[in-house]
Amino acid sequence: MAFFDKVGATLSSFGNDVSNKTKSMVEVTNLNGQLKNCEDSLREYYREIGKAYYEKTKDAPEEDMIPFFNKVKEAEEAIDHLEASIRRAKGTKICQNCKTEVSLDTVFCPNCGSKVDDVPVDNTATEAVLGKKCAKCGADMKPGAAFCVSCGAKVEEESTSAE
């Protein structure tokens, strides 16, 4: 019987070791997850601080920050250029008031009703919905428009009554 007692004790000891190592690995995994979350938060805080500092001091940066500010300005200009190229390729422009993307032939923003800056008009870009016209000027209306793109009139919603 001593042999079986010894084997049982060895198996029990081995089981406890495995259990302890498993608990330790789970704890390390949890702690690593918490560490990653903290590091991600810290990076986000640094990013927010950097952006706030840049916005606050971009007109008069400290001497040692000028190279970094120049890189930010270059990146912003590249983004603006690429966005303009994308809009040109899509045949759209941006309403300066509400920043809605509209077709090049739009005179008044369908979202806010503001007059949209003049850009060369390409009438082939109009995607009119057949049968729906502006009550004020008769222009074809686009789906979901709140304002007419030709005259700026607010779109009147058609009332549907149960018959």
Side-chain angles (χ1 to χ4, degrees), residues 108-126:
F108 290 92
C109 178
N111 186 52
C112 71
S114 295
K115 187 167 174 82
V116 181
D117 291 337
D118 289 335
V119 174
V121 175
D122 176 9
N123 289 331
T124 61
T126 303

Side-chain angles (χ1 to χ4, degrees), residues 9-151:
T10 302
L11 288 176
S12 179
S13 173
F14 179 75
N16 286 337
D17 287 347
V18 168
S19 177
N20 289 337
K21 286 183 181 185
T22 301
K23 287 178 187 176
S24 177
M25 286 177 48
V26 167
E27 183 178 4
V28 167
T29 300
N30 286 336
L31 291 171
N32 279 330
Q34 291 175 27
L35 176 62
K36 184 181 180 332
N37 289 339
C38 287
E39 290 170 341
D40 290 347
S41 294
L42 184 59
R43 273 190 290 280
E44 181 63 18
Y45 299 145
Y46 282 147
R47 187 194 66 74
E48 289 175 12
I49 289 168
K51 186 174 181 180
Y53 174 78
Y54 173 79
E55 291 298 325
K56 185 175 181 178
T57 62
K58 67 182 172 185
D59 294 329
E62 296 176 20
E63 188 69 30
D64 60 336
M65 292 288 118
I66 290 175
F68 298 108
F69 279 49
N70 288 340
K71 288 179 182 180
V72 169
K73 186 176 180 181
E74 288 172 12
E76 289 174 338
E77 289 171 354
I79 288 168
D80 289 344
H81 176 73
L82 290 168
E83 287 175 340
S85 296
I86 290 168
R87 284 192 301 277
R88 260 192 315 279
K90 289 171 40 179
T92 62
K93 59 186 175 181
I94 297 293
C95 171
Q96 295 303 310
N97 184 50
C98 71
K99 308 301 181 210
T100 296
E101 189 172 300
V102 297
S103 65
L104 287 175
D105 64 340
T106 300
V107 179
F108 290 92
C109 178
N111 186 52
C112 71
S114 295
K115 187 167 174 82
V116 181
D117 291 337
D118 289 335
V119 174
V121 175
D122 176 9
N123 289 331
T124 61
T126 303
E127 299 172 10
V129 176
L130 297 176
K132 188 166 183 183
K133 306 269 185 194
C134 174
K136 183 174 178 184
C137 73
D140 291 324
M141 300 299 294
K142 296 183 181 181
F147 294 89
C148 176
V149 296
S150 294
C151 71

